[in-house]
Amino acid sequence: MKKKASDEECIEEITDEVKSDIKCIDELPGVGEKTAEKLREAGFNDLMSIAVTPASLIAEATELGTATATKIITAARSALKMGFIGGDTLLSRRSEIGKIKFQSEELNNLFGGGIETQALTECFGQFGSGKTQIALQLAVNVQLPKENGGLDGYAVIIDTENTFRPERIVQLAEALKLDPKEVLSKIKVARAYSSDHQMLLVERISDLIEKEKLPIKLVIVDSLMGLFRSEYAGRGTLADRQQKLNRHLHDLQRLSDRYNLAIYITNQVMSRPDVFFGDPTAAIGGNIVGHASTFRVYLRKSKGDKRVGRMIDSPCLPEAECVFRVTEEGIRD
Ligand code: GTP
Ligand code: MG
């Protein structure tokens, strides 16, 4: 049976290792000046971004036919010598995974030691459940040395709801006896104004890492769906929204693999009046977000400053719950 055009289509075909010294997209066969420009405009800046994209998307971006797009993709893959990777190589890549710890043993245990690089971690829950506070705590903690649960890294925050408050970072930093100015300087914040802008900002992160040489180890998107949700309010455009969202999540995943960094996204919930037992809420964004997230945690409010986190989905951790607190000093047991 012929599958629909999808990402699998890209992976299915194995390219032989052809000797090739193509280094940038302008050198690909069939890519002239105009096409190269269109590719860049659509965010395909390097060979990898082309190699891992379905032909239909490249065709759409360049207004070329699918056959030509396929040729371009094949050439990009040959140049990158893509194919199967040995299990041993994968194991050694996994050995590079770093973990960012919380200031809470309860949360550390829930996450099997902290949030991982090369993965996407999603926390979803109602307003005030602690999604943003966790994000800010992680943005500070990632800067700590490895022996103290950090990764000696910088954080990037893509703020879609204008909720970033530097004053709060100062509090969190002071509580850990860190220099607040230095901590703030290692958090790069960008306010996203539209879903397109949000996606563009993700592309810019490669520049921060490669051109500005910033050791970014954590990328936060708070919140993932806010802008998508308001821009695609009508049901008629839901399919478009999901397609774009899918692309956004893949961009994030690719970023985390390529630079061995952690992605933390926050997500809201919608009420589900059809659910009578258990918690009548579900993360918005549907299955696309659920499948893209490596770790999914549901947060809910408890008494006072107490919050409950439940691991919903993880490749290796049990479904478990923990209690933590949001205090003046930050996230604590
Ligand atoms: P939405 O973004 O509205 O969906 O909520 P959220 O899940 O991001 O909630 P957030 O993490 O912002 O807040 C969780 C709780 O942290 C709030 O209900 C407050 O009680 C608490 N909180 C937020 N800021 C502070 C602060 O500066 N000091 C203290 N002590 N608590 C705070
Ligand atoms: Mg928030």
Side-chain angles (χ1 to χ4, degrees), residues 123-136 161 163 165 167-169 171-172 222-223 264 266-269 299 301 304-305 307 324-331:
C123 277
F124 69 99
Q126 274 168 346
F127 67 91
S129 58
K131 306 180 292 291
T132 299
Q133 293 304 310
I134 286 182
L136 299 180
E161 293 176 332
T163 51
R165 295 287 171 271
E167 298 82 5
R168 183 62 176 147
I169 296 289
Q171 280 183 327
L172 302 185
D222 185 16
S223 74
Y264 174 83
T266 71
N267 199 358
Q268 288 139 327
V269 289
L299 300 177
K301 287 191 224 177
D305 60 3
R307 298 289 182 274
F324 62 96
R325 291 185 307 131
V326 185
T327 72
E328 215 49 45
E329 289 79 39
I331 303 292

mmCIF file of all heavy atoms in Angstrom, residues 123-136 161 163 165 167-169 171-172 222-223 264 266-269 299 301 304-305 307 324-331, ligand 1:
data_model
loop_
_atom_site.group_PDB
_atom_site.id
_atom_site.type_symbol
_atom_site.label_atom_id
_atom_site.label_comp_id
_atom_site.label_asym_id
_atom_site.label_seq_id
_atom_site.Cartn_x
_atom_site.Cartn_y
_atom_site.Cartn_z
ATOM 1 N N CYS A 123 5.019 20.268 30.084
ATOM 2 C CA CYS A 123 4.177 20.327 31.277
ATOM 3 C C CYS A 123 2.878 21.001 30.883
ATOM 4 O O CYS A 123 2.893 22.076 30.280
ATOM 5 C CB CYS A 123 4.846 21.126 32.392
ATOM 6 S SG CYS A 123 6.026 20.155 33.344
ATOM 7 N N PHE A 124 1.775 20.352 31.180
ATOM 8 C CA PHE A 124 0.504 20.994 30.889
ATOM 9 C C PHE A 124 -0.364 21.024 32.124
ATOM 10 O O PHE A 124 -0.226 20.205 33.035
ATOM 11 C CB PHE A 124 -0.197 20.339 29.686
ATOM 12 C CG PHE A 124 -0.705 18.937 29.924
ATOM 13 C CD1 PHE A 124 -2.053 18.716 30.224
ATOM 14 C CD2 PHE A 124 0.137 17.843 29.822
ATOM 15 C CE1 PHE A 124 -2.537 17.422 30.427
ATOM 16 C CE2 PHE A 124 -0.339 16.558 30.031
ATOM 17 C CZ PHE A 124 -1.669 16.336 30.327
ATOM 18 N N GLY A 125 -1.218 22.026 32.191
ATOM 19 C CA GLY A 125 -2.075 22.188 33.354
ATOM 20 C C GLY A 125 -2.778 23.526 33.306
ATOM 21 O O GLY A 125 -2.487 24.358 32.442
ATOM 22 N N GLN A 126 -3.687 23.714 34.263
ATOM 23 C CA GLN A 126 -4.471 24.941 34.292
ATOM 24 C C GLN A 126 -3.622 26.143 34.691
ATOM 25 O O GLN A 126 -2.501 25.975 35.158
ATOM 26 C CB GLN A 126 -5.629 24.784 35.267
ATOM 27 C CG GLN A 126 -6.826 24.141 34.594
ATOM 28 C CD GLN A 126 -7.877 23.714 35.596
ATOM 29 O OE1 GLN A 126 -7.623 23.661 36.797
ATOM 30 N NE2 GLN A 126 -9.045 23.394 35.095
ATOM 31 N N PHE A 127 -4.207 27.341 34.602
ATOM 32 C CA PHE A 127 -3.498 28.557 35.013
ATOM 33 C C PHE A 127 -3.101 28.421 36.486
ATOM 34 O O PHE A 127 -3.861 27.862 37.285
ATOM 35 C CB PHE A 127 -4.368 29.799 34.786
ATOM 36 C CG PHE A 127 -5.578 29.859 35.677
ATOM 37 C CD1 PHE A 127 -5.530 30.504 36.907
ATOM 38 C CD2 PHE A 127 -6.764 29.252 35.305
ATOM 39 C CE1 PHE A 127 -6.632 30.537 37.749
ATOM 40 C CE2 PHE A 127 -7.866 29.283 36.136
ATOM 41 C CZ PHE A 127 -7.803 29.919 37.366
ATOM 42 N N GLY A 128 -1.905 28.885 36.774
ATOM 43 C CA GLY A 128 -1.448 28.839 38.160
ATOM 44 C C GLY A 128 -0.969 27.477 38.629
ATOM 45 O O GLY A 128 -0.669 27.289 39.801
ATOM 46 N N SER A 129 -0.866 26.503 37.712
ATOM 47 C CA SER A 129 -0.465 25.165 38.141
ATOM 48 C C SER A 129 1.058 25.043 38.281
ATOM 49 O O SER A 129 1.548 24.032 38.780
ATOM 50 C CB SER A 129 -1.020 24.098 37.195
ATOM 51 O OG SER A 129 -0.589 24.330 35.882
ATOM 52 N N GLY A 130 1.798 26.047 37.805
ATOM 53 C CA GLY A 130 3.244 26.041 38.029
ATOM 54 C C GLY A 130 4.103 25.861 36.783
ATOM 55 O O GLY A 130 5.327 25.756 36.885
ATOM 56 N N LYS A 131 3.489 25.866 35.608
ATOM 57 C CA LYS A 131 4.218 25.634 34.360
ATOM 58 C C LYS A 131 5.331 26.662 34.147
ATOM 59 O O LYS A 131 6.469 26.311 33.843
ATOM 60 C CB LYS A 131 3.245 25.692 33.166
ATOM 61 C CG LYS A 131 2.051 24.776 33.288
ATOM 62 C CD LYS A 131 1.122 24.881 32.088
ATOM 63 C CE LYS A 131 0.385 26.201 31.948
ATOM 64 N NZ LYS A 131 -0.641 26.436 32.987
ATOM 65 N N THR A 132 4.976 27.937 34.325
ATOM 66 C CA THR A 132 5.953 28.994 34.097
ATOM 67 C C THR A 132 7.000 29.028 35.205
ATOM 68 O O THR A 132 8.190 29.226 34.935
ATOM 69 C CB THR A 132 5.248 30.365 33.979
ATOM 70 O OG1 THR A 132 4.353 30.305 32.861
ATOM 71 C CG2 THR A 132 6.234 31.494 33.765
ATOM 72 N N GLN A 133 6.579 28.809 36.432
ATOM 73 C CA GLN A 133 7.540 28.821 37.538
ATOM 74 C C GLN A 133 8.586 27.723 37.366
ATOM 75 O O GLN A 133 9.771 27.940 37.642
ATOM 76 C CB GLN A 133 6.811 28.673 38.883
ATOM 77 C CG GLN A 133 5.929 29.864 39.240
ATOM 78 C CD GLN A 133 6.707 31.176 39.250
ATOM 79 O OE1 GLN A 133 7.763 31.274 39.861
ATOM 80 N NE2 GLN A 133 6.212 32.170 38.537
ATOM 81 N N ILE A 134 8.176 26.564 36.880
ATOM 82 C CA ILE A 134 9.131 25.485 36.600
ATOM 83 C C ILE A 134 10.090 25.921 35.499
ATOM 84 O O ILE A 134 11.302 25.714 35.577
ATOM 85 C CB ILE A 134 8.384 24.179 36.223
ATOM 86 C CG1 ILE A 134 7.764 23.567 37.485
ATOM 87 C CG2 ILE A 134 9.319 23.176 35.548
ATOM 88 C CD1 ILE A 134 7.040 22.251 37.262
ATOM 89 N N ALA A 135 9.546 26.573 34.482
ATOM 90 C CA ALA A 135 10.376 27.042 33.365
ATOM 91 C C ALA A 135 11.464 27.986 33.878
ATOM 92 O O ALA A 135 12.644 27.841 33.536
ATOM 93 C CB ALA A 135 9.512 27.753 32.320
ATOM 94 N N LEU A 136 11.074 28.932 34.724
ATOM 95 C CA LEU A 136 12.037 29.918 35.218
ATOM 96 C C LEU A 136 13.086 29.259 36.107
ATOM 97 O O LEU A 136 14.275 29.578 36.030
ATOM 98 C CB LEU A 136 11.307 31.033 35.978
ATOM 99 C CG LEU A 136 10.278 31.833 35.152
ATOM 100 C CD1 LEU A 136 9.631 32.907 36.012
ATOM 101 C CD2 LEU A 136 10.927 32.459 33.920
ATOM 102 N N GLU A 161 3.340 34.815 25.699
ATOM 103 C CA GLU A 161 2.227 35.463 26.392
ATOM 104 C C GLU A 161 2.661 36.649 27.233
ATOM 105 O O GLU A 161 1.891 37.140 28.054
ATOM 106 C CB GLU A 161 1.491 34.416 27.247
ATOM 107 C CG GLU A 161 0.822 33.406 26.352
ATOM 108 C CD GLU A 161 0.157 32.271 27.100
ATOM 109 O OE1 GLU A 161 0.604 31.948 28.211
ATOM 110 O OE2 GLU A 161 -0.798 31.715 26.561
ATOM 111 N N THR A 163 4.750 36.865 29.690
ATOM 112 C CA THR A 163 4.682 36.611 31.131
ATOM 113 C C THR A 163 6.069 36.547 31.777
ATOM 114 O O THR A 163 6.174 36.321 32.976
ATOM 115 C CB THR A 163 3.925 35.299 31.453
ATOM 116 O OG1 THR A 163 4.485 34.254 30.668
ATOM 117 C CG2 THR A 163 2.449 35.417 31.155
ATOM 118 N N ARG A 165 9.123 37.697 33.704
ATOM 119 C CA ARG A 165 9.428 38.794 34.629
ATOM 120 C C ARG A 165 10.846 38.630 35.146
ATOM 121 O O ARG A 165 11.126 37.723 35.935
ATOM 122 C CB ARG A 165 8.460 38.789 35.817
ATOM 123 C CG ARG A 165 7.017 39.060 35.462
ATOM 124 C CD ARG A 165 6.774 40.522 35.114
ATOM 125 N NE ARG A 165 5.437 40.725 34.574
ATOM 126 C CZ ARG A 165 5.107 40.646 33.283
ATOM 127 N NH1 ARG A 165 6.026 40.348 32.396
ATOM 128 N NH2 ARG A 165 3.875 40.856 32.888
ATOM 129 N N GLU A 167 12.370 40.212 37.353
ATOM 130 C CA GLU A 167 12.414 40.332 38.828
ATOM 131 C C GLU A 167 12.302 38.965 39.500
ATOM 132 O O GLU A 167 12.904 38.717 40.545
ATOM 133 C CB GLU A 167 11.266 41.211 39.344
ATOM 134 C CG GLU A 167 11.279 42.655 38.845
ATOM 135 C CD GLU A 167 10.679 42.811 37.455
ATOM 136 O OE1 GLU A 167 10.170 41.807 36.902
ATOM 137 O OE2 GLU A 167 10.729 43.924 36.898
ATOM 138 N N ARG A 168 11.520 38.100 38.899
ATOM 139 C CA ARG A 168 11.345 36.767 39.473
ATOM 140 C C ARG A 168 12.655 35.965 39.362
ATOM 141 O O ARG A 168 13.011 35.208 40.263
ATOM 142 C CB ARG A 168 10.182 36.063 38.765
ATOM 143 C CG ARG A 168 9.834 34.691 39.295
ATOM 144 C CD ARG A 168 9.385 34.705 40.750
ATOM 145 N NE ARG A 168 8.960 33.374 41.206
ATOM 146 C CZ ARG A 168 9.139 32.956 42.457
ATOM 147 N NH1 ARG A 168 9.692 33.719 43.372
ATOM 148 N NH2 ARG A 168 8.733 31.743 42.795
ATOM 149 N N ILE A 169 13.359 36.140 38.241
ATOM 150 C CA ILE A 169 14.656 35.468 38.066
ATOM 151 C C ILE A 169 15.631 35.951 39.143
ATOM 152 O O ILE A 169 16.393 35.163 39.710
ATOM 153 C CB ILE A 169 15.251 35.753 36.657
ATOM 154 C CG1 ILE A 169 14.356 35.163 35.555
ATOM 155 C CG2 ILE A 169 16.682 35.228 36.537
ATOM 156 C CD1 ILE A 169 14.359 33.653 35.467
ATOM 157 N N GLN A 171 14.922 36.909 42.163
ATOM 158 C CA GLN A 171 14.570 36.184 43.394
ATOM 159 C C GLN A 171 15.137 34.767 43.393
ATOM 160 O O GLN A 171 15.734 34.318 44.375
ATOM 161 C CB GLN A 171 13.046 36.065 43.523
ATOM 162 C CG GLN A 171 12.351 37.306 44.044
ATOM 163 C CD GLN A 171 10.850 37.061 44.212
ATOM 164 O OE1 GLN A 171 10.247 36.304 43.448
ATOM 165 N NE2 GLN A 171 10.262 37.708 45.203
ATOM 166 N N LEU A 172 14.924 34.054 42.272
ATOM 167 C CA LEU A 172 15.376 32.665 42.188
ATOM 168 C C LEU A 172 16.899 32.586 42.282
ATOM 169 O O LEU A 172 17.448 31.691 42.934
ATOM 170 C CB LEU A 172 14.912 32.016 40.871
ATOM 171 C CG LEU A 172 13.414 31.980 40.579
ATOM 172 C CD1 LEU A 172 13.144 31.187 39.310
ATOM 173 C CD2 LEU A 172 12.627 31.369 41.733
ATOM 174 N N ASP A 222 7.068 29.030 26.160
ATOM 175 C CA ASP A 222 6.004 29.253 27.158
ATOM 176 C C ASP A 222 5.048 30.311 26.615
ATOM 177 O O ASP A 222 5.397 31.472 26.562
ATOM 178 C CB ASP A 222 6.644 29.711 28.473
ATOM 179 C CG ASP A 222 5.631 29.842 29.610
ATOM 180 O OD1 ASP A 222 4.526 29.306 29.494
ATOM 181 O OD2 ASP A 222 5.968 30.493 30.624
ATOM 182 N N SER A 223 3.851 29.990 26.155
ATOM 183 C CA SER A 223 3.348 28.651 25.992
ATOM 184 C C SER A 223 3.372 28.224 24.523
ATOM 185 O O SER A 223 3.360 29.078 23.645
ATOM 186 C CB SER A 223 1.901 28.596 26.493
ATOM 187 O OG SER A 223 1.045 29.237 25.569
ATOM 188 N N TYR A 264 11.860 22.546 26.848
ATOM 189 C CA TYR A 264 10.758 22.519 27.815
ATOM 190 C C TYR A 264 9.615 23.359 27.251
ATOM 191 O O TYR A 264 9.795 24.543 26.972
ATOM 192 C CB TYR A 264 11.225 23.089 29.159
ATOM 193 C CG TYR A 264 10.108 23.241 30.179
ATOM 194 C CD1 TYR A 264 9.692 22.155 30.954
ATOM 195 C CD2 TYR A 264 9.459 24.461 30.360
ATOM 196 C CE1 TYR A 264 8.664 22.290 31.880
ATOM 197 C CE2 TYR A 264 8.430 24.607 31.287
ATOM 198 C CZ TYR A 264 8.035 23.519 32.037
ATOM 199 O OH TYR A 264 7.009 23.657 32.946
ATOM 200 N N THR A 266 5.422 24.505 27.611
ATOM 201 C CA THR A 266 4.252 24.511 28.482
ATOM 202 C C THR A 266 3.008 24.481 27.614
ATOM 203 O O THR A 266 3.024 24.931 26.467
ATOM 204 C CB THR A 266 4.194 25.771 29.373
ATOM 205 O OG1 THR A 266 3.881 26.909 28.551
ATOM 206 C CG2 THR A 266 5.500 26.006 30.102
ATOM 207 N N ASN A 267 1.976 23.911 28.174
ATOM 208 C CA ASN A 267 0.743 23.766 27.398
ATOM 209 C C ASN A 267 -0.461 23.934 28.318
ATOM 210 O O ASN A 267 -0.406 23.570 29.494
ATOM 211 C CB ASN A 267 0.731 22.391 26.731
ATOM 212 C CG ASN A 267 -0.244 22.305 25.577
ATOM 213 O OD1 ASN A 267 -0.960 23.255 25.270
ATOM 214 N ND2 ASN A 267 -0.297 21.154 24.938
ATOM 215 N N GLN A 268 -1.494 24.509 27.777
ATOM 216 C CA GLN A 268 -2.695 24.701 28.585
ATOM 217 C C GLN A 268 -3.629 23.516 28.433
ATOM 218 O O GLN A 268 -3.373 22.600 27.666
ATOM 219 C CB GLN A 268 -3.406 25.985 28.155
ATOM 220 C CG GLN A 268 -2.660 27.214 28.589
ATOM 221 C CD GLN A 268 -2.664 28.275 27.504
ATOM 222 O OE1 GLN A 268 -2.648 27.963 26.322
ATOM 223 N NE2 GLN A 268 -2.689 29.512 27.919
ATOM 224 N N VAL A 269 -4.712 23.562 29.177
ATOM 225 C CA VAL A 269 -5.680 22.474 29.076
ATOM 226 C C VAL A 269 -7.024 23.038 28.645
ATOM 227 O O VAL A 269 -7.307 24.213 28.808
ATOM 228 C CB VAL A 269 -5.876 21.750 30.429
ATOM 229 C CG1 VAL A 269 -4.666 20.935 30.788
ATOM 230 C CG2 VAL A 269 -6.210 22.729 31.530
ATOM 231 N N LEU A 299 0.247 18.953 35.502
ATOM 232 C CA LEU A 299 0.368 19.670 36.767
ATOM 233 C C LEU A 299 -1.008 20.111 37.244
ATOM 234 O O LEU A 299 -1.832 20.535 36.450
ATOM 235 C CB LEU A 299 1.236 20.925 36.592
ATOM 236 C CG LEU A 299 2.673 20.734 36.119
ATOM 237 C CD1 LEU A 299 3.331 22.104 35.931
ATOM 238 C CD2 LEU A 299 3.478 19.905 37.100
ATOM 239 N N LYS A 301 -3.148 22.126 40.759
ATOM 240 C CA LYS A 301 -3.031 22.851 42.026
ATOM 241 C C LYS A 301 -3.472 21.966 43.173
ATOM 242 O O LYS A 301 -4.376 21.145 43.031
ATOM 243 C CB LYS A 301 -3.938 24.077 42.003
ATOM 244 C CG LYS A 301 -3.432 25.190 41.115
ATOM 245 C CD LYS A 301 -4.245 26.441 41.372
ATOM 246 C CE LYS A 301 -4.604 27.112 40.062
ATOM 247 N NZ LYS A 301 -5.439 28.277 40.194
ATOM 248 N N GLY A 304 -2.750 25.563 49.083
ATOM 249 C CA GLY A 304 -1.751 26.620 49.236
ATOM 250 C C GLY A 304 -0.738 26.638 48.114
ATOM 251 O O GLY A 304 -1.109 26.677 46.934
ATOM 252 N N ASP A 305 0.561 26.581 48.488
ATOM 253 C CA ASP A 305 1.587 26.643 47.443
ATOM 254 C C ASP A 305 1.939 25.251 46.900
ATOM 255 O O ASP A 305 2.860 25.109 46.109
ATOM 256 C CB ASP A 305 2.834 27.377 47.969
ATOM 257 C CG ASP A 305 3.454 26.692 49.183
ATOM 258 O OD1 ASP A 305 2.955 25.612 49.587
ATOM 259 O OD2 ASP A 305 4.439 27.229 49.717
ATOM 260 N N ARG A 307 1.742 21.903 44.683
ATOM 261 C CA ARG A 307 1.328 21.526 43.330
ATOM 262 C C ARG A 307 1.614 20.033 43.146
ATOM 263 O O ARG A 307 2.573 19.518 43.712
ATOM 264 C CB ARG A 307 2.119 22.307 42.268
ATOM 265 C CG ARG A 307 1.932 23.813 42.320
ATOM 266 C CD ARG A 307 0.543 24.232 41.865
ATOM 267 N NE ARG A 307 0.347 25.682 41.871
ATOM 268 C CZ ARG A 307 -0.034 26.381 42.934
ATOM 269 N NH1 ARG A 307 -0.230 25.784 44.099
ATOM 270 N NH2 ARG A 307 -0.207 27.687 42.851
ATOM 271 N N PHE A 324 5.175 19.091 44.947
ATOM 272 C CA PHE A 324 6.229 20.088 45.143
ATOM 273 C C PHE A 324 5.565 21.412 45.504
ATOM 274 O O PHE A 324 4.336 21.499 45.549
ATOM 275 C CB PHE A 324 7.092 20.232 43.875
ATOM 276 C CG PHE A 324 6.330 20.711 42.654
ATOM 277 C CD1 PHE A 324 6.321 22.066 42.308
ATOM 278 C CD2 PHE A 324 5.608 19.831 41.867
ATOM 279 C CE1 PHE A 324 5.618 22.504 41.191
ATOM 280 C CE2 PHE A 324 4.906 20.269 40.756
ATOM 281 C CZ PHE A 324 4.911 21.605 40.416
ATOM 282 N N ARG A 325 6.378 22.429 45.805
ATOM 283 C CA ARG A 325 5.803 23.719 46.174
ATOM 284 C C ARG A 325 6.388 24.842 45.337
ATOM 285 O O ARG A 325 7.540 24.764 44.894
ATOM 286 C CB ARG A 325 6.079 24.009 47.666
ATOM 287 C CG ARG A 325 5.299 23.082 48.610
ATOM 288 C CD ARG A 325 5.512 23.476 50.055
ATOM 289 N NE ARG A 325 6.919 23.559 50.398
ATOM 290 C CZ ARG A 325 7.484 24.598 51.043
ATOM 291 N NH1 ARG A 325 6.767 25.628 51.407
ATOM 292 N NH2 ARG A 325 8.770 24.581 51.318
ATOM 293 N N VAL A 326 5.588 25.874 45.112
ATOM 294 C CA VAL A 326 6.101 27.091 44.479
ATOM 295 C C VAL A 326 6.238 28.124 45.595
ATOM 296 O O VAL A 326 5.241 28.607 46.117
ATOM 297 C CB VAL A 326 5.137 27.625 43.393
ATOM 298 C CG1 VAL A 326 5.766 28.817 42.678
ATOM 299 C CG2 VAL A 326 4.786 26.534 42.393
ATOM 300 N N THR A 327 7.487 28.412 45.983
ATOM 301 C CA THR A 327 7.714 29.323 47.111
ATOM 302 C C THR A 327 8.360 30.616 46.623
ATOM 303 O O THR A 327 8.671 30.758 45.432
ATOM 304 C CB THR A 327 8.662 28.685 48.142
ATOM 305 O OG1 THR A 327 9.990 28.671 47.582
ATOM 306 C CG2 THR A 327 8.241 27.262 48.481
ATOM 307 N N GLU A 328 8.580 31.520 47.557
ATOM 308 C CA GLU A 328 9.272 32.772 47.259
ATOM 309 C C GLU A 328 10.636 32.487 46.615
ATOM 310 O O GLU A 328 11.066 33.191 45.713
ATOM 311 C CB GLU A 328 9.451 33.524 48.590
ATOM 312 C CG GLU A 328 9.361 35.030 48.518
ATOM 313 C CD GLU A 328 8.159 35.561 47.763
ATOM 314 O OE1 GLU A 328 7.038 35.055 47.994
ATOM 315 O OE2 GLU A 328 8.338 36.461 46.940
ATOM 316 N N GLU A 329 11.314 31.428 47.100
ATOM 317 C CA GLU A 329 12.661 31.080 46.600
ATOM 318 C C GLU A 329 12.625 30.330 45.276
ATOM 319 O O GLU A 329 13.629 30.177 44.633
ATOM 320 C CB GLU A 329 13.404 30.202 47.622
ATOM 321 C CG GLU A 329 13.863 30.901 48.889
ATOM 322 C CD GLU A 329 12.713 31.073 49.868
ATOM 323 O OE1 GLU A 329 11.885 30.151 49.985
ATOM 324 O OE2 GLU A 329 12.626 32.157 50.488
ATOM 325 N N GLY A 330 11.452 29.833 44.915
ATOM 326 C CA GLY A 330 11.330 29.064 43.679
ATOM 327 C C GLY A 330 10.672 27.731 43.918
ATOM 328 O O GLY A 330 9.923 27.557 44.886
ATOM 329 N N ILE A 331 10.991 26.771 43.052
ATOM 330 C CA ILE A 331 10.423 25.429 43.169
ATOM 331 C C ILE A 331 11.156 24.676 44.285
ATOM 332 O O ILE A 331 12.380 24.574 44.260
ATOM 333 C CB ILE A 331 10.586 24.655 41.836
ATOM 334 C CG1 ILE A 331 9.937 25.410 40.657
ATOM 335 C CG2 ILE A 331 10.058 23.236 41.936
ATOM 336 C CD1 ILE A 331 8.437 25.486 40.698
HETATM 337 P P1 GTP B 1 -0.681 30.114 33.254
HETATM 338 O O1 GTP B 1 0.525 30.607 32.527
HETATM 339 O O2 GTP B 1 -1.571 31.213 33.686
HETATM 340 O O3 GTP B 1 -1.434 29.060 32.508
HETATM 341 O O4 GTP B 1 -0.184 29.434 34.645
HETATM 342 P P2 GTP B 1 1.176 28.718 35.044
HETATM 343 O O5 GTP B 1 0.912 27.258 35.171
HETATM 344 O O6 GTP B 1 2.290 29.143 34.178
HETATM 345 O O7 GTP B 1 1.388 29.269 36.518
HETATM 346 P P3 GTP B 1 2.688 29.942 37.128
HETATM 347 O O8 GTP B 1 3.815 28.985 37.069
HETATM 348 O O9 GTP B 1 2.882 31.284 36.559
HETATM 349 O O10 GTP B 1 2.251 30.181 38.642
HETATM 350 C C1 GTP B 1 2.068 29.147 39.555
HETATM 351 C C2 GTP B 1 1.943 29.713 40.919
HETATM 352 O O11 GTP B 1 3.198 30.210 41.333
HETATM 353 C C3 GTP B 1 1.014 30.902 41.048
HETATM 354 O O12 GTP B 1 -0.294 30.506 41.305
HETATM 355 C C4 GTP B 1 1.588 31.622 42.232
HETATM 356 O O13 GTP B 1 0.970 31.135 43.400
HETATM 357 C C5 GTP B 1 3.027 31.201 42.268
HETATM 358 N N1 GTP B 1 3.919 32.325 41.976
HETATM 359 C C6 GTP B 1 4.081 32.962 40.806
HETATM 360 N N2 GTP B 1 4.958 33.970 40.937
HETATM 361 C C7 GTP B 1 5.361 33.947 42.215
HETATM 362 C C8 GTP B 1 6.248 34.747 42.976
HETATM 363 O O14 GTP B 1 6.866 35.693 42.470
HETATM 364 N N3 GTP B 1 6.412 34.435 44.291
HETATM 365 C C9 GTP B 1 5.751 33.375 44.865
HETATM 366 N N4 GTP B 1 5.961 33.074 46.144
HETATM 367 N N5 GTP B 1 4.900 32.611 44.171
HETATM 368 C C10 GTP B 1 4.708 32.890 42.864
#
